[in-house]
Amino acid sequence: MSRPLQRGVSGGVRVPGSGHDLWDSQSKDKTEKEDLDKRGSSDHSPLALRFPLGLLLGNNSDSKYGNGIGENGFASDSFIVSSPRSRLKLMLLSLKFSLVVIVVLALTGSFWWTLSISSSSRGHIYHGYRRLQEKLVSDLLDIGEFSRGPLRLKESEFCSQDLENFVPCYNVSGNVELEVSDGNEVDRQCGHELRPNCLVLPPVNYKIPLRWPTGKDVIWVANVKITAQEVLSSGSLTKRMMMLDEEQISFRSASHMFDGVEDYSHQIAEMIGLRNESYFIQAGVRTILDIGCGYGSFGAHLFDSQLLTTCIANYEPSGSQVQLTLERGLPAMIASFTSKQLPFSSLSFDMLHCARCGIEWDQKDGILLIEADRLLKPGGYFVWTSPLTNARNKENQKRWKFIQDFTLTLCWELLSQQDETVVWKKTSKKSCYASRKSGSGPSLCGRGIDVESPYYRELQNCIGGMQSARWVPIEKRERWPSRANLNKKELAIYGLQPDELSEDSDSWKTAIQNYWSLLSPLIFSDHPKRPGDEDPSPPYNMLRNVLDMNAHFGGFNSALLQARKSVWVMNVVPISGPNYLPLIQDRGFVGVLHDWCEAFPTYPRTYDLVHAAGFLSLETEQHRCTMLDMFLEIDRILRPEGWVIIRDTVPLIESARALTAQLKWDARVIEVESDSDQRLLICQKPFFKRQAS
């Protein structure tokens, strides 16, 4: 093997004026070759500590070529100034000496500066250094996690059967072991458990949900975890409106408690002073929070009147209100009125509804009513149906009296009471709070406490929302659907101009057209129609529940409604980005604040389409969790044969596409005509069936 040529070395070159060939490689002395080998290996050793100093000071050892013989084979005298080479060497020595002086001065200054630092300054510097170290470690771990992603999934591809309905952060038995008590064991507790690194399979007899609106009234029994006893047991209004057969659960309007949900809704409208529930829109009501919603029949009925009802209920291992409501194609999420503020903005809902919801509003000194007040818009309605309102024993009468007195201190007006149902109206005037008797009721929250959009913060014992610029009575807001287009004054609260929202809306209208043109052939190819049948209007039976992981202004939701798609959208605002949740909820849409490094508060197999535009760019900048973790969560909440649409930069889309192969998704990358730096990744989750044991 030939040796690389050294500087000035050339095989077979004869030096003029010399009687012998100094550099003839054929006659080189063996010892010189060995010496050269040793020198070369020494110079290239990574442990040669003299290497940096050699660069700075040069090598002053004797030349193996003898005195007066330079490396190039010519006789030389380093002190002959008259030669150009000598002048060059002198200049180099001067530069080296200058560098030495600079380094010495710098080290000396650094030494005295270090001595002069106070202990607190040292702490800041140390912590800054630690942050840099942690950032570097995080980046390296991200790279390692990504590179090992395929291996990790191959090691445990599918979850065990006991995780079919698993919801991270809601491990009730684990919370009991952690000594979480006082009714808070059903509360959300993230960070105490390892999330399973596997793909959740559906139950053995799972079937694709029926097409909307049929699926609103009929669901497959095998798709949810519920027993016949739970179906037939007594409970809230909507729990008693169900019929169970061998394969299906159907929801009916008959009830032992009322003539039906239609009559119940009509009763509430009359108590407010309206002719019927179809006039709720005229009274400024569009969004309703249904607490402990049963199985969503109240919201299902009001949906036909363009009212958007969001169901919230505690996590339930079996017979879940949230799971059944979502299976019907209605908005719902797991949330508890226990110890934490809900992840909604203040002044978010036009109406709160609680029909035998199990919340004891008189407990904890009324702090749960304070949270209800925070969520309610000025002029909004609180509807409560409970046997406590018609109590006859002294203890329950005392509890009912406490609630009546406490709501007065919240500036709620008791509009009407019929049978077990009571309706309050929240004040539209801030002056009401100043007119209260001194020391009566909760105080107003200060600016530091009155957070616009808290994220699972401890419940506050003060009235929130008072510092918000969004204090606008519902009767003074635009009626739906005009409400979706906020006026100039409303947009100014968020620092936006009307043309910005208009431009965003136009962009999403075009995007929805493109999405549908891409999805329609894919859906029809999976579900071929019979000869002579007309094409079913997209999205066939596949899309009803939609989740937008990075909702921004809610433009995706708005464009779907304008295109008359029969869907509803859960608009998620990541805590890692700008907070436009108040804007989304002011537009009359469903929205929630969420940290995507944690599990979303829903059951497996609850969404037909997950959409994420710019989401990867937003989250990967934070380096708080891996892309694989987020994709496993998407897979958990996505229904079999459900769809994922991701729009982002080319490198991130390529990374995401690599992960989809490990998740067993079918994926296609499509160019975005309007932006060459963007790509669309359209994926479908396969329908893997678990074998019956």
Side-chain angles (χ1 to χ4, degrees), residues 258 267 271 356 384-401 403-404 416-422 424:
F258 299 100
Q267 176 190 1
M271 293 172 71
R356 295 194 173 187
W384 185 37
T385 298
S386 170
L388 190 66
T389 60
N390 275 336
R392 297 190 177 183
N393 65 69
K394 290 185 177 180
E395 180 62 28
N396 286 339
Q397 287 178 347
K398 182 179 178 181
R399 294 175 60 192
W400 170 227
K401 182 68 165 57
I403 293 174
Q404 287 178 296
S416 178
Q417 178 178 358
Q418 291 185 18
D419 302 322
E420 295 183 351
T421 302
V422 184
W424 284 274

Side-chain angles (χ1 to χ4, degrees), residues 275-306:
R275 181 178 298 178
N276 55 50
E277 62 271 25
S278 64
Y279 286 83
F280 276 137
I281 292 286
Q282 302 303 318
V285 177
R286 156 67 179 172
T287 56
I288 301 172
L289 184 66
D290 195 0
I291 305 164
C293 62
Y295 297 133
S297 291
F298 182 64
H301 172 70
L302 295 179
F303 192 86
D304 295 333
S305 300
Q306 300 187 57

